Amino acid sequence: MKTLTAILIGAGDRGARAYAPYALAYPNELKIVGVAEPGLERRKKIQVKHDIPSQNCFESWEEVLNLDQKIANIAIICTLDRFHFKPTMRALELGYHVLLEKPMSPNPLECIAMEQAARKFNCQLTIGHVLRYTEFWSTIKKIIANGEIGEVVSLQLNENVEVMHMSHSFVRGNWNNKEKSSPMILQKSCHDMDIISFVMGKECKNISSYGSLMHFKGENAPTGAPQRCLDGCPAELECPFHAGRYYLGEGRGWAKKFTEDYTNEGIIKALQDTPYGKCVYRSDNNVVDHQVVNMEFEDGATATFSMCGFTREQTRIVQIMGTKGEIRGNMEENSISIYNFHTKHETVIKFDSPIGGHGGGDNGIMRTFLREIQFGNTTDSVSSTSASVRSHLMAFAAEDSRLNKGKSINIDEYYQRLLENINV
């Protein structure tokens, strides 16, 4: 492989901590040569870490993508959800290969338009569905594809968000309000819609969903709770979500997500100034804290998905039932078991500890993305953009169903309606 170059657009958690470090670990494969980030401290950190010349450091994506010529082979785009579309379309037009953080966009028409633009300009567009690239899920897919459990009849997947992760990211954090970011089923669980389709290896035809915001709302606030936890909350010692106790204690690691000053004083100041210091019952959050989705696939197989914020651990637990056997797996334990109905034998696979985030998926997607740029890609590859669009449409349809009291939605009909409006 030759060394490819990239510009990083958006140096937040995913850009700076998930994707860009690959260039430091494998400098023979990738070099970050430019950054566009409005936050001065974040921009400087990336500049120093990757030895980026000052002339290639920008405050906005418009500056770098409006230059007279490309300055790299690749654009890694990790802006907030609602700011994915324009830089991606411009980068593709200029001939950049694009690694785009999920979700593609909160607008289904924009998702389709990005896929069409990648095809038009003959550029690689890979979406950050990092679970596809983990040893855990790729092994499950191979087992199913090899027919080891026969025909898949039904799949069950539970996404255990973990209660403090729920409070941090989806009650106080950037993804707490679907009008400002995207619905929970799209922002958090488009991973799950995607991985279900990926391992099943067939198209979902019909989908329905239920869910709501049950707990994190005003009527559940403790009596006398102020707007901010540090303003003297009477429930400080009883509430697990008290910002001061949590972020200065066991949740200190999460504080890195919202402050560059990691001292006690720095964290306290951030809790006084940012949404992370707000009472979880007095935030502007409106995304669901639990949701279930029912799916029917093209051969009649079914799948159920359950996302819940009220779990003690952050993991995904899967059970796949076939005509010849069954697969069970737990991502937190990083192991799967395969049971054969005929022999009554159980095979347990325990994977080595993954390197990198998302069970090794962050490194895996970078490695695959770079190789597919140099050696080619096919429509059925692990990085297929059309597959990503299809799984996004599943999430959009599930949210529409949830808002319409669980009405069943046909994905093909839903897609056709969108295509009719693509140029509107």
Side-chain angles (χ1 to χ4, degrees):
M1 285 185 64
K2 65 178 182 180
T3 303
L4 296 176
T5 56
I7 53 173
L8 178 65
I9 299 177
D13 185 58
R14 292 300 294 160
R17 294 190 177 100
Y19 300 134
Y22 190 90
L24 300 177
Y26 303 97
N28 59 309
E29 297 182 26
L30 180 67
K31 180 173 177 55
I32 306 294
V33 297
V35 59
E37 163 59 47
L40 178 60
E41 290 301 317
R42 288 179 173 180
R43 190 167 66 248
K44 282 185 174 179
K45 281 187 176 182
I46 290 293
Q47 180 182 8
V48 171
K49 280 186 177 181
H50 295 271
D51 193 25
I52 300 172
S54 297
Q55 66 267 26
N56 284 355
C57 296
F58 308 90
E59 288 189 31
S60 69
W61 67 265
E62 289 93 342
E63 292 178 81
V64 65
L65 295 182
N66 283 332
L67 295 174
D68 292 335
Q69 60 184 9
K70 291 166 53 181
I71 64 171
N73 309 114
I74 295 163
I76 301 173
I77 299 178
C78 299
T79 53
L80 292 175
D81 299 355
R82 292 187 175 273
F83 303 101
H84 282 178
F85 179 67
K86 288 183 178 179
T88 298
M89 293 294 280
R90 177 59 178 160
L92 292 171
E93 180 185 2
L94 292 173
Y96 283 96
H97 300 289
V98 175
L99 175 65
L100 175 63
E101 176 58 356
K102 63 81 192 167
M104 297 176 73
S105 167
N107 184 326
L109 295 180
E110 291 182 351
C111 295
I112 296 170
M114 283 187 275
E115 178 196 7
Q116 293 178 343
R119 189 180 300 115
K120 175 181 177 181
F121 296 111
N122 194 30
C123 292
Q124 177 77 9
L125 173 60
T126 292
I127 313 305
H129 288 306
V130 292
L131 296 187
R132 296 186 199 174
Y133 304 84
T134 64
E135 194 174 13
F136 181 91
W137 288 107
S138 60
T139 300
I140 288 176
K141 181 173 177 61
K142 288 176 184 175
I143 292 168
I144 293 173
N146 291 339
E148 293 182 40
I149 63 167
E151 281 292 308
V152 173
V153 175
S154 192
L155 179 152
Q156 297 174 358
L157 176 60
N158 288 347
E159 181 181 16
N160 296 350
V161 177
E162 196 271 326
V163 67
M164 300 312 295
H165 181 22
M166 179 76 202
S167 71
H168 172 85
S169 297
F170 306 105
V171 178
R172 290 173 167 136
N174 289 330
W175 303 280
N176 72 338
N177 188 296
K178 61 183 180 180
E179 278 73 39
K180 296 178 181 178
S181 59
S182 51
M184 186 73 161
I185 190 67
L186 182 65
Q187 209 300 312
K188 186 74 174 75
S189 302
C190 73
H191 273 317
D192 302 275
M193 298 297 99
D194 184 73
I195 206 63
I196 289 172
S197 294
F198 179 68
V199 299
M200 293 285 279
K202 56 193 71 172
E203 290 188 353
C204 176
K205 292 298 183 181
N206 296 291
I207 201 162
S208 65
S209 181
Y210 295 90
S212 66
L213 173 61
M214 281 187 64
H215 184 67
F216 294 108
K217 48 189 181 181
E219 56 261 43
N220 291 324
T223 302
Q227 185 72 22
R228 288 185 173 272
C229 295
L230 297 188
D231 289 344
C233 180
E236 174 182 353
L237 298 181
E238 293 80 34
C239 179
F241 308 108
H242 186 273
R245 290 177 57 244
Y246 182 63
Y247 290 116
L248 291 169
E250 63 175 306
R252 181 176 288 270
W254 284 107
K256 293 180 179 178
K257 309 282 188 178
F258 60 80
T259 178
E260 301 294 333
D261 183 352
Y262 200 43
T263 64
N264 286 344
E265 293 76 14
I267 294 174
I268 290 171
K269 185 179 187 307
L271 295 180
Q272 292 170 334
D273 298 338
T274 71
Y276 295 94
K278 286 185 176 181
C279 171
V280 291
Y281 304 102
R282 302 194 187 283
S283 298
D284 66 343
N285 59 298
N286 63 9
V287 299
V288 301
D289 51 27
H290 70 292
Q291 187 167 356
V292 296
V293 182
N294 305 307
M295 290 154 270
E296 182 182 37
F297 287 79
E298 54 189 332
D299 63 349
T302 58
T304 60
F305 167 70
S306 174
M307 179 285 300
C308 188
F310 301 98
T311 62
R312 65 181 181 179
E313 60 183 3
Q314 184 179 343
T315 188
R316 286 176 169 88
I317 299 172
V318 65
Q319 182 177 5
I320 306 171
M321 294 146 280
T323 55
K324 295 180 179 179
E326 178 190 70
I327 300 172
R328 295 187 183 188
N330 185 318
M331 279 200 74
E332 176 68 18
E333 297 174 357
N334 207 25
S335 66
I336 63 173
S337 74
I338 308 102
Y339 183 79
N340 185 292
F341 294 152
H342 174 64
T343 64
K344 311 297 184 186
H345 291 168
E346 179 185 25
T347 302
V348 177
I349 301 175
K350 178 69 176 176
F351 301 105
D352 290 338
S353 297
I355 299 174
H358 283 97
D362 291 346
N363 272 353
I365 193 172
M366 290 299 299
R367 183 173 296 112
T368 304
F369 176 60
L370 297 176
R371 279 157 178 74
E372 289 186 340
I373 289 173
Q374 296 201 46
F375 305 124
N377 186 11
T378 60
T379 56
D380 62 348
S381 86
V382 69
S383 303
S384 167
T385 310
S386 61
S388 289
V389 170
R390 182 85 183 187
S391 61
H392 273 68
L393 294 183
M394 290 168 62
F396 286 117
E399 182 67 1
D400 283 357
S401 172
R402 184 187 74 83
L403 295 173
N404 287 281
K405 299 180 179 180
K407 177 184 176 182
S408 180
I409 294 178
N410 181 277
I411 303 295
D412 291 331
E413 294 175 1
Y414 184 76
Y415 186 34
Q416 288 303 316
R417 288 196 299 272
L418 289 171
L419 287 177
E420 292 170 4
N421 293 290
I422 192 68
N423 295 317
V424 174

